Amino acid sequence: MLDLKLVRQNPQAVADQLAKRHFDFDVDGFLSLDEARKQADIESQNLLAERKQASKKIGELVKGGMPIDEAKASVNATLAKIEEQLSELTSKAKAAQETLDDLMAGIPNIPHPDVPEGKDEADNLEILRWGEPKSFDFEVKDHVDVGENLGGLDFDVAAKLTGSRFSVMRGEIARMHRALIQFMLNTHIGQHDYTEVYVPYMVNKDSLRGTGQLPKFEEDLFKLEGDQEYYLIPTAEVPVTNLLRDTIVEAADMEKGLRFVCHTPCFRSEAGSYGRDTRGMIRQHQFEKVELVQLVKPADSEAALEALTGHAEAILQQLELPYRKVLLCGGDIGFSSRKTYDLEVWLPAQNQYREISSCSNFGDFQARRMLARWRNPETNKPEYLHTLNGSALAVGRTLVAILENYQQADGSVVVPEVLKPYMQCDVIK
């Protein structure tokens, strides 16, 4: 959520910055709502002062010799009218505040000055490419054909069990999927100084509001039916970032910031992707991710984004998978993000780079929603943290990239060097 004081100071400047995202901020609507809330507060304060004076009048009358019952009776009509007006104004002020809160909850984050102009992914800015796509001397198969021919991927059975956009894995492919998770976790814990956490796969509304999935993106979520109002997590970002909700972290614990790594399944309805990536594992309702989350001091957040993105890149480099890094433009950046890098891995069967990780700096946007703060030793006052996260990596898409980039003419798949200790084999046949 944006800083309300910042918006009040210069709403037009905020609108101009949000225009980079192609978001139309209704300045007049905001000012009207804010003025209605302000006026209701002023009128309420005036009535409270009148009530105080009326109550004081009773004491003055009693002091002048009037019996207390008569004194109360003489001002009761005035007090009753004030109470009635106060009740109306309280309801009016509450409604104005709720409407203003709803408006603020629907406003996306202000993009960082580095974010380029643009409408969609075609306007994203390529920063670098790593690795050279392999040349094949045979007809390249996509991961679906490779996996099915190896007896390790089964989408028909998954459709029978549940429906479309699910998969069943068997044998060495299931083992490679598990190996990737272990490899990613071990790398981030051992080499990048993250603390592993295990979290629930279901969260409440407050958690989803905190990271910005609610109220705007409810259609993308799977809501559970029952006595409790729970949702399946769309990403580990939600529960892990919310570990610091309603918390003040002491300065001594913020020297290097807080780094968490977490493996979870993720559940998404893919409401806006009808007809896209219907084949295979690229876009599924259930998939696995290893997620990186950092919570840092504001002064450290830009450097933290570069570091976190580098940690995700390290996985791709150790797996020797060609990829490119792009800076998302204003029209493609996520609702809560201030600045985002996407890492896109090369998929030879598609002859293009596809997203495998999104690494974002949210500034204080999420922390303001969650009341996640740290105590600044210079002022000894709580200040909002900055939050960041990124996939490192999306496990299913990493498996897809390995099956396609490491396939051989006979249909087998070479195991990447760093996964051999986990797989206990060199080739999947």
Side-chain angles (χ1 to χ4, degrees):
M1 186 173 291
L2 297 182
D3 183 350
L4 186 55
K5 291 181 181 178
L6 175 69
V7 181
R8 281 176 178 150
Q9 286 171 1
N10 197 337
Q12 188 57 54
V14 171
D16 292 343
Q17 290 172 296
L18 290 172
K20 181 184 276 191
R21 310 182 66 117
H22 303 273
F23 180 85
D24 184 15
F25 175 48
D26 183 1
V27 174
D28 291 338
F30 167 79
L31 291 174
S32 177
L33 281 172
D34 199 37
E35 182 59 32
R37 179 209 55 80
K38 182 180 177 182
Q39 190 59 39
D41 283 347
I42 291 172
E43 292 177 18
S44 295
Q45 291 301 317
N46 290 339
L47 282 172
L48 286 171
E50 288 183 33
R51 186 174 68 177
K52 185 176 181 181
Q53 286 299 320
S55 299
K56 189 176 178 182
K57 181 70 174 176
I58 295 173
E60 291 173 355
L61 291 173
V62 171
K63 195 174 181 181
M66 183 181 288
I68 189 167
D69 289 342
E70 290 183 25
K72 286 181 177 179
S74 69
V75 297
N76 272 348
T78 301
L79 281 172
K81 185 176 181 180
I82 290 173
E83 290 296 341
E84 182 181 349
Q85 291 175 314
L86 264 175
S87 177
E88 291 176 1
L89 274 173
T90 300
S91 298
K92 184 178 176 182
K94 182 180 179 182
Q97 185 64 57
E98 288 176 351
T99 305
L100 183 62
D101 289 343
D102 288 344
L103 174 67
M104 292 298 295
I107 299 173
N109 204 353
I110 292 173
H112 189 279
D114 289 350
V115 172
E117 299 282 352
K119 291 184 178 181
D120 52 37
E121 61 183 17
D123 297 318
N124 292 339
L125 180 64
E126 183 174 307
I127 303 299
L128 63 81
R129 292 192 182 196
W130 186 93
E132 287 293 328
K134 180 181 176 182
S135 296
F136 293 88
D137 57 5
F138 57 89
E139 184 178 352
V140 173
K141 295 182 175 65
D142 72 0
H143 69 281
V144 176
D145 289 337
V146 172
E148 287 181 342
N149 291 339
L150 291 170
L153 281 181
D154 196 327
F155 298 98
D156 292 336
V157 166
K160 180 177 69 174
L161 295 175
T162 312
S164 62
R165 295 190 187 273
F166 291 90
S167 61
V168 168
M169 287 177 267
R170 296 188 179 96
E172 294 305 301
I173 289 182
R175 186 174 185 177
M176 179 175 280
H177 187 264
R178 176 164 53 87
L180 282 167
I181 295 166
Q182 288 297 103
F183 162 64
M184 292 176 193
L185 287 171
N186 290 346
T187 300
H188 295 311
I189 294 164
Q191 299 179 20
H192 303 147
D193 200 24
Y194 286 81
T195 298
E196 183 176 3
V197 292
Y198 173 84
V199 294
Y201 301 161
M202 296 180 285
V203 291
N204 55 33
K205 275 192 167 183
D206 287 341
S207 294
L208 289 159
R209 286 193 193 99
T211 46
Q213 278 78 16
L214 287 180
K216 190 173 178 63
F217 302 105
E218 185 160 12
E219 67 172 6
D220 295 327
L221 304 170
F222 283 110
K223 185 177 181 180
L224 302 180
E225 294 184 359
D227 295 336
Q228 304 292 333
E229 198 168 26
Y230 291 152
Y231 295 78
L232 295 175
I233 60 171
T235 165
E237 167 199 347
V238 178
V240 177
T241 309
N242 273 276
L243 291 173
L244 274 293
R245 191 172 82 222
D246 298 321
T247 300
I248 299 174
V249 184
E250 296 303 322
D253 297 321
M254 289 299 298
E255 282 304 310
K256 294 182 179 179
L258 302 175
R259 293 183 176 185
F260 300 112
V261 61
C262 185
H263 159 247
T264 66
C266 306
F267 306 91
R268 297 184 186 175
S269 71
E270 298 292 350
S273 65
Y274 181 78
R276 294 175 58 197
D277 297 313
T278 55
R279 179 176 167 84
M281 296 179 65
I282 294 295
R283 196 179 299 276
Q284 297 198 295
H285 291 310
Q286 175 184 312
F287 58 97
E288 313 280 315
K289 278 204 303 176
V290 171
E291 191 78 3
L292 305 179
V293 173
Q294 292 197 29
L295 299 103
V296 302
K297 295 179 287 187
D300 299 336
S301 69
E302 290 197 32
L305 176 61
E306 302 301 323
L308 185 148
T309 308
H311 300 152
E313 290 181 76
I315 299 296
L316 288 167
Q317 291 173 11
Q318 291 184 56
L319 290 169
E320 300 183 76
L321 291 171
Y323 70 91
R324 70 173 192 155
K325 174 181 175 182
V326 297
L327 177 61
L328 298 197
C329 70
D332 198 33
I333 196 170
F335 176 81
S336 300
S337 177
R338 187 165 182 253
K339 180 179 179 180
T340 296
Y341 292 114
D342 270 6
L343 302 180
E344 299 177 349
V345 69
W346 177 254
L347 297 183
Q350 295 190 18
N351 197 38
Q352 64 176 322
Y353 291 95
R354 294 299 304 269
E355 179 198 337
I356 195 168
S357 173
S358 192
C359 301
S360 300
N361 182 356
F362 303 97
D364 64 5
F365 188 84
Q366 293 179 328
R368 192 175 295 279
R369 287 170 170 249
M370 298 187 299
L371 293 179
R373 294 162 291 173
W374 74 293
R375 193 175 303 281
N376 188 330
E378 296 180 5
T379 63
N380 200 36
K381 293 180 179 179
E383 296 179 5
Y384 290 111
L385 293 161
H386 279 199
T387 63
L388 308 95
N389 71 56
S391 306
L393 300 163
V395 182
R397 291 194 179 192
T398 309
L399 179 63
V400 166
I402 291 172
L403 293 178
E404 294 196 7
N405 282 279
Y406 281 86
Q407 64 180 294
Q408 300 188 101
D410 63 358
S412 63
V413 174
V414 174
V415 175
E417 196 65 35
V418 291
L419 294 184
K420 289 179 180 177
Y422 299 91
M423 292 290 295
Q424 305 272 304
C425 69
D426 296 335
V427 180
I428 299 175
K429 299 180 179 180

